Amino acid sequence: MSASPAGLVDLLNLVDLTDLLVKEKALVFRGFGITAESYDEVTTALLPRRLAYIHGNSPRTKVGQNVYTSTEYPPEFTISMHNEMSYAHTWPSRLLFFCEQAPTSGGATPVVDGQLWLESMDPEIRDAFAGGVRYIQNLHDGYGLGKSWQATFETEDPAEVEAFLDKAGADWKWKGDGTLWISQLRPATTRHPVTDTEVWFNQADQFHIAGLGDDAREMAELLSEDEMPQSVTFADGSPIPAEYITHIQETGLRLAVDVDWQAGSLLLIDNVLVGHGRRPFTGPRRVLVAMSG
């Protein structure tokens, strides 16, 4: 069996990948000579049901058949631990990251065990989230702060968006300037469909002003909370204390294990059992990601 993209595909045919991934939670593949050209073939083998990033809230560029750049935040920022699209009514079960170009320094993808994250949380904070969280989004009509509704849902058709949100059980309305306002009540934890393990599973810290950078905090001084591109409260609409957000982020990052990147390497994660993030980096870095149900 050769150390090549075809060799990796042959290897995957010999193992029960679902059982292996549930057991290990995250898998790293190195030394198979994966390139941007062969990534699609390998992705098809690893992700049999590749998904579009519909209702995704982070800035990305679509570069292939449901293949995207990893989150395009400036390199000096840490991206806190999270499970992809845990704020939505459905989410991908697997994520496959591919390093096309490794950075000069830093830029690791940290991963954290979601059960450990939950169990390591301050009991007071864990109990406070028992009722779930409410996510608020204001998606502009092409000009404004944050992502537009067209980019978020990958369509220009408002009726498609409305049907999607109705199916998701979200509250929504169109504002006079074309902005789409969305409110969703979601649980703070979930259970893995195979192991029944309960894990921390929400993105309250990434919707909360205290979990964002200085630019977002300056924006909050100019806009009301209901006008922000995104915000979050407890289920009953009461505010989430900033210190809770800090504790959530610091706990996740402290428990995380860094996966350092080499060009051509892959990282496959179970998106329920494992949260992920990004360390700051220098130099050019290109990591692609695909998702599956």
Side-chain angles (χ1 to χ4, degrees):
M1 188 174 296
S2 64
S4 66
L8 176 56
V9 173
D10 290 340
L11 175 64
L12 294 172
N13 289 330
L14 298 176
V15 300
D16 187 326
L17 187 62
T18 298
D19 285 350
L20 182 62
L21 187 59
V22 167
K23 178 183 177 182
E24 301 297 338
K25 305 178 184 179
L27 302 170
V28 177
F29 301 91
R30 293 194 175 106
F32 289 95
I34 310 299
T35 64
E37 291 72 29
S38 59
Y39 173 62
D40 189 73
E41 174 191 4
V42 173
T43 301
T44 299
L46 287 164
L47 303 182
R49 299 182 300 279
R50 208 182 307 182
L51 301 175
Y53 188 54
I54 304 300
H55 204 181
N57 71 325
S58 65
R60 304 177 187 272
T61 301
K62 193 171 186 177
V63 297
Q65 181 187 353
N66 291 342
V67 175
Y68 302 81
T69 58
S70 58
T71 302
E72 297 172 352
Y73 285 135
E76 64 270 23
F77 295 133
T78 297
I79 297 177
S80 61
M81 308 308 296
H82 62 286
N83 303 79
E84 203 63 51
M85 296 184 69
S86 56
Y87 55 85
H89 77 295
T90 59
W91 48 80
S93 61
R94 296 179 185 176
L95 307 179
L96 178 65
F97 296 92
F98 163 64
C99 180
E100 184 175 350
Q101 183 173 13
T104 303
S105 66
T109 295
V111 294
V112 65
D113 183 308
Q115 181 182 14
L116 178 62
W117 193 6
L118 173 64
E119 292 175 349
S120 301
M121 210 81 73
D122 185 312
E124 175 188 337
I125 294 176
R126 199 167 56 228
D127 292 346
F129 279 86
V133 293
R134 182 168 293 281
Y135 301 98
I136 307 294
Q137 292 175 283
N138 283 287
L139 305 176
H140 61 77
D141 192 27
Y143 299 96
L145 301 169
K147 290 181 72 173
S148 68
W149 63 263
Q150 294 94 331
T152 298
F153 294 98
E154 295 189 10
T155 182
E156 299 285 333
D157 185 353
E160 285 187 28
V161 178
E162 293 169 5
F164 179 95
L165 293 174
D166 286 341
K167 184 178 180 180
D171 297 321
W172 58 270
K173 64 182 178 182
W174 296 100
K175 295 185 176 181
D177 62 358
T179 295
L180 175 60
W181 175 90
I182 304 170
S183 173
Q184 304 178 91
L185 178 61
R186 301 288 180 234
T189 67
T190 194
R191 291 187 176 274
H192 191 271
V194 175
T195 68
D196 199 42
T197 303
E198 186 178 16
V199 297
W200 186 251
F201 197 78
N202 67 81
Q203 283 170 249
D205 66 295
Q206 295 193 335
F207 275 67
H208 196 289
I209 193 65
L212 304 176
D214 292 339
D215 289 346
R217 284 189 280 271
E218 291 176 4
M219 186 193 313
E221 295 177 359
L222 303 174
L223 301 174
S224 69
E225 186 169 333
D226 201 49
E227 294 173 320
M228 291 285 289
Q230 58 188 41
S231 59
V232 65
T233 68
F234 286 124
D236 62 2
S238 60
I240 300 173
E243 59 268 27
Y244 285 14
I245 298 301
T246 300
H247 175 77
I248 292 165
Q249 290 190 329
E250 290 181 348
T251 302
L253 286 165
R254 173 174 55 82
L255 298 171
V257 175
D258 285 355
V259 177
D260 294 312
W261 286 113
Q262 301 170 8
S265 56
L266 300 169
L267 169 63
L268 179 67
I269 68 173
D270 184 307
N271 185 47
V272 174
L273 293 175
V274 169
H276 67 281
R278 190 199 71 188
R279 303 291 186 184
F281 63 93
T282 63
R285 175 188 188 269
R286 184 171 172 84
V287 174
L288 306 180
V289 63
M291 313 171 195
S292 78

